[in-house]
Amino acid sequence: MAQVKEPEICWHDESEKEVLGGLSADASLPFVSSKAAVGGTAGSQRHIPNTLISSAYSGPTIEDIERALSTKVPDVRATSRCYRAPVPEKGIGKSDTKYAVMIKSCGGGVAEDGYKWRKYGQKTIKNNPNPSRSYYRCTNPRCSAKRQVERSKEDPNMLTITYEGLHLHYPHFHVLRRRPQDHTATKLQVPKKPKLQGEEQLHKDYKSQSIQGDLREEVVAVTSGESSPGSPDRGFKEEASLNPGAGKQNMRLRDAVQYQQGLLQDIVPLLIREPCSTGSAVSSHHPYRILQTPCPSYYSASISPPTNPSDIDLGLHFRHSLNLRQSKDR
DNA sequence: CGGTTTTGACCCGCGC
DNA sequence: GCGCGGGTCAAAACCG
């Protein structure tokens, strides 16, 4: 199987300015709505998929999300049956955001989220039979985003990923897409795939098999937070390179989902959109199918091979967001 | 050779 | 104050 290399990321100041500006601007973008004020020159191109999505999507809008994320939300611990791990912020201002995601591991792998992480530590956690928690930092030196990955105490198949801080940049793929005419973009080189580590490596083969077979992944719970880091988009990039001659309709559908991801990325944890990581999880043969799951109080999405290649059912449900901010009043 | 991972040591906050 | 546990540092090892 041919390995598709990914573009190497270049943290240009220019793009960062663009991103930083975009963060505030995009923050007002509707979740997925044809009324979206699509920014930039790509607006007209994005309108069609956007409309497509809005016709298929009946979920919450950005207002719903903002409302849910608002600190005015009542104590979700009392209402969320999926509340698992309060993630108290240690000191105001120390971290902008902090929230945890529980995800069912895909063959033991840790979900790829579109960002590049560097491991800087590992600890054995007491009273947890699954021995270690890994600490990761965003490789962008100007980004303070961090994440912790550990296996659930109750279910070894579940991973708890705790994100802290916001990314001040787009995920790798997003940088590429946003600068299609930029000559420097053509110089961008394909970033090497983050090296599989530990269990990820062990299940590498299994993972690729499950991707081609009965891929089905579930993001189970999200706790706490004001916003989320960016999103994974690698699947589409690889898809494009692997299947450049895809039909027009498929292209539109893929763009639709892709655009949806772009809108989502500042709001919804990436894992929901690409919980299974390695990009190859989404191919032209197995486009996304996000299933609606009537489970309140947490994100829930799954991916499965569709019966029809063009059958994309956007139904990401974001019923409630959990804001578990805890102030330490000691 | 540069970037990433590993891993023991260190630091710090919290509870007793 | 002390011990414990979580988070981070940093040097060495590893890898492409």
Side-chain angles (χ1 to χ4, degrees):
Chain A
M1 183 171 182
Q3 278 211 337
V4 179
K5 286 219 156 192
E6 298 170 2
E8 205 151 314
I9 204 70
C10 294
W11 304 112
H12 299 289
D13 287 346
E14 187 179 297
S15 66
E16 289 196 7
K17 281 180 201 165
E18 179 186 1
V19 168
L20 288 171
L23 283 176
S24 55
D26 291 349
S28 61
L29 286 174
F31 191 33
V32 264
S33 163
S34 60
K35 293 178 287 186
V38 181
T41 56
S44 57
Q45 298 173 352
R46 290 178 174 180
H47 181 71
I48 292 176
N50 199 34
T51 304
L52 187 70
I53 293 169
S54 63
S55 64
Y57 178 76
S58 59
T61 64
I62 188 70
E63 287 80 10
D64 299 322
I65 294 171
E66 286 176 345
R67 194 162 42 242
L69 288 172
S70 156
T71 55
K72 296 171 186 170
V73 168
D75 187 1
V76 293
R77 284 166 291 185
T79 59
S80 169
R81 62 177 178 172
C82 291
Y83 171 80
R84 292 190 61 83
V87 188
E89 293 182 24
K90 290 184 178 179
I92 294 177
K94 185 174 181 180
S95 64
D96 295 327
T97 63
K98 193 167 184 178
Y99 64 93
V101 173
M102 282 207 68
I103 180 173
K104 193 171 186 176
S105 70
C106 185
V110 174
E112 193 63 47
D113 58 10
Y115 291 97
K116 199 171 181 183
W117 299 94
R118 182 169 52 84
K119 190 175 184 178
Y120 68 88
Q122 183 172 330
K123 283 290 283 190
T124 57
I125 304 303
K126 195 152 189 187
N127 297 326
N128 191 336
N130 307 297
S132 60
R133 171 186 297 164
S134 298
Y135 299 89
Y136 297 87
R137 219 175 248 141
C138 183
T139 55
N140 185 342
R142 294 169 63 177
C143 176
S144 62
K146 287 184 276 190
R147 78 170 181 180
Q148 303 170 6
V149 178
E150 65 180 312
R151 293 206 166 270
S152 169
K153 200 185 334 185
E154 291 83 2
D155 184 357
N157 290 325
M158 301 296 294
L159 294 177
T160 300
I161 305 177
T162 304
Y163 289 92
E164 182 176 351
L166 290 172
H167 290 280
L168 300 178
H169 53 89
Y170 284 114
H172 296 350
F173 176 55
H174 207 98
V175 172
L176 289 178
R177 276 190 60 82
R178 283 177 65 93
R179 313 181 73 191
Q181 306 295 337
D182 193 336
H183 291 298
T184 60
T186 64
K187 292 178 184 175
L188 290 178
Q189 297 172 15
V190 183
K192 53 187 173 187
K193 226 164 208 167
K195 188 166 49 173
L196 294 180
Q197 47 179 281
E199 286 177 280
E200 289 180 71
Q201 194 123 29
L202 288 175
H203 296 277
K204 188 174 162 187
D205 294 337
Y206 168 79
K207 188 187 274 187
S208 57
Q209 284 174 11
S210 63
I211 286 167
Q212 293 171 5
D214 183 26
L215 173 67
R216 194 175 185 88
E217 182 100 3
E218 258 190 286
V219 174
V220 176
V222 174
T223 67
S224 177
E226 296 170 338
S227 62
S228 78
S231 80
D233 283 327
R234 294 173 16 182
F236 287 99
K237 172 188 49 161
E238 295 191 3
E239 174 187 357
S241 62
L242 288 172
N243 190 12
K248 198 172 182 179
Q249 186 178 8
N250 278 352
M251 287 296 290
R252 286 180 55 185
L253 287 166
R254 287 197 300 276
D255 284 347
V257 179
Q258 194 166 355
Y259 177 54
Q260 180 223 19
Q261 291 186 327
L263 286 176
L264 289 173
Q265 74 173 9
D266 289 335
I267 303 164
V268 181
L270 356 138
L271 297 171
I272 291 164
R273 279 157 284 142
E274 190 177 24
C276 199
S277 75
T278 59
S280 58
V282 179
S283 73
S284 58
H285 308 294
H286 296 142
Y288 275 109
R289 186 178 195 189
I290 303 172
L291 305 175
Q292 294 194 11
T293 307
C295 184
S297 305
Y298 56 86
Y299 296 114
S300 180
S302 58
I303 300 172
S304 65
T307 54
N308 181 339
S310 64
D311 179 15
I312 299 179
D313 179 11
L314 298 174
L316 178 64
H317 268 214
F318 185 166
R319 297 294 187 84
H320 302 288
S321 173
L322 309 181
N323 192 325
L324 302 178
R325 188 167 238 190
Q326 288 184 346
S327 60
K328 282 196 174 179
D329 46 359
R330 283 190 202 137

